[in-house]
Amino acid sequence: MTDMEPTSSEPLYPEEAQAKATILAECENLAAAAVTFVAVHFDGYGDSGVTGDVRCFDSKYYAYEEREPVAHDAAYLQEHFETLVPMGYENDCGGFGDVVLDVAARKITVERNDRFEDYTTSTYEI
């Protein structure tokens, strides 16, 4: 993940605001269980996509597939994390990313990476 501030200033939909509040309300319990990050990974293309299971980590930072999750059951947060997965990530060439809760900072970030197709054209006379 980057240290860039989010560029979206769009207000949250009511269900997103509720999901955020529910997730943040669990920070104290997660910290007591030595969980530092909670994350959900999403990936899709061609008009279909998948959201992974909620996974908990006890590392100093979160990076997808760089650390092994800890055995803390946060499945009860699945629906709330899925609510924060950005709409349309699965369309066309698709995209992937993570919804990540930094437990100590009590901050949720969304990193979305969009795929795109490109081409180059060469014209020459022979």
Side-chain angles (χ1 to χ4, degrees):
M1 297 192 52
T2 66
D3 291 329
M4 296 175 60
E5 289 297 315
T7 58
S8 175
S9 60
E10 298 290 321
L12 295 176
Y13 289 108
E15 59 273 9
E16 292 171 325
Q18 180 59 50
K20 178 182 177 180
T22 301
I23 292 168
L24 292 176
E26 289 299 314
C27 285
E28 205 166 302
N29 295 332
L30 293 164
V35 172
T36 55
F37 292 95
V38 182
V40 166
H41 183 75
F42 57 91
D43 196 352
Y45 61 91
D47 298 332
S48 65
V50 65
T51 301
D53 293 333
V54 171
R55 297 169 77 184
C56 297
F57 300 87
D58 62 356
S59 55
K60 293 185 183 201
Y61 65 91
Y62 171 79
Y64 180 65
E65 292 190 334
E66 282 191 21
R67 303 277 193 257
E68 288 296 317
V70 296
H72 181 78
D73 184 12
Y76 62 95
L77 294 174
Q78 184 76 35
E79 177 184 343
H80 305 294
F81 271 86
E82 287 180 359
T83 299
L84 300 176
V85 170
M87 299 277 294
Y89 75 89
E90 72 284 0
N91 293 338
D92 302 320
C93 294
F96 61 96
D98 301 283
V99 179
V100 180
L101 167 64
D102 180 332
V103 175
R106 288 174 162 62
K107 182 176 177 180
I108 301 170
T109 56
V110 178
E111 180 177 298
R112 177 180 175 165
N113 303 282
D114 291 317
R115 296 181 183 99
F116 63 93
E117 290 183 29
D118 196 4
Y119 66 92
T120 60
T121 302
S122 299
T123 303
Y124 55 92
E125 188 174 321
I126 54 172

